[in-house]
Amino acid sequence: MSRRSCTLFRVITGLDGQDGVQTPVGMHGFKLDVETHVITTGAASVQNLVKCIRGVGVDVEDLVFEALASSEACLTEDDKMAGTILADIGGGTTEFQYLKMGVSGTPRLFLWPVYQMTRDIAIGLGLPFDVAEEMKKKYGSALPVLRREGRE
């Protein structure tokens, strides 16, 4: 099966034994250390997806791992520098992306869909599934601003 690279994560960079170099561009040295993680997918799957999207008149410029795209869309530069774990909980999978000092850690993908979370809430609280789903949508947030507004 042919594979295609989707996303390349630069995790750690060091220059001449000095760790934590964020952007070595313009620096001088003899040894550049980089640890990377490459996300790959089946080439045929990508070709079919791109063909389908182009078939409805949308141009595809590039493909990006979902957790990385979510972190770019949702996190501020301060969040990325301070250290953040982003959980992107979707219909079929949940991706976790760790960022610190502006650098992505190794992303993790779990086959734990959002309906499973609702099921866990229903079982744990002894509620019908539809009530657990409504509670999750109404109260399910990790944003501190929502708690301050009295939505606890």
Side-chain angles (χ1 to χ4, degrees), residues 57-88:
V58 177
D59 190 32
V60 177
E61 186 176 317
D62 201 1
L63 300 173
V64 179
F65 183 63
E66 188 175 0
L68 181 61
S70 296
S71 68
E72 287 297 314
C74 298
L75 301 177
T76 66
E77 289 304 314
D78 288 344
D79 292 334
K80 294 174 191 176
M81 294 303 287
T84 302
I85 296 176
L86 175 81
D88 185 349

Side-chain angles (χ1 to χ4, degrees), residues 83-124:
T84 302
I85 296 176
L86 175 81
D88 185 349
I89 303 169
T93 61
T94 298
E95 295 92 16
F96 290 93
Q97 178 66 39
Y98 171 73
L99 296 101
K100 186 167 185 176
M101 298 301 291
V103 178
S104 297
T106 305
R108 299 287 185 231
L109 175 77
F110 298 95
L111 296 176
W112 191 52
V114 73
Y115 76 84
Q116 182 67 43
M117 182 184 293
T118 304
R119 185 176 167 276
D120 291 347
I121 293 169
I123 291 170

Side-chain angles (χ1 to χ4, degrees), residues 40-60:
T40 63
T41 189
S45 298
V46 170
Q47 289 170 348
N48 290 337
L49 178 63
V50 169
K51 183 177 180 181
C52 181
I53 293 170
R54 286 186 176 147
V56 296
V58 177
D59 190 32
V60 177

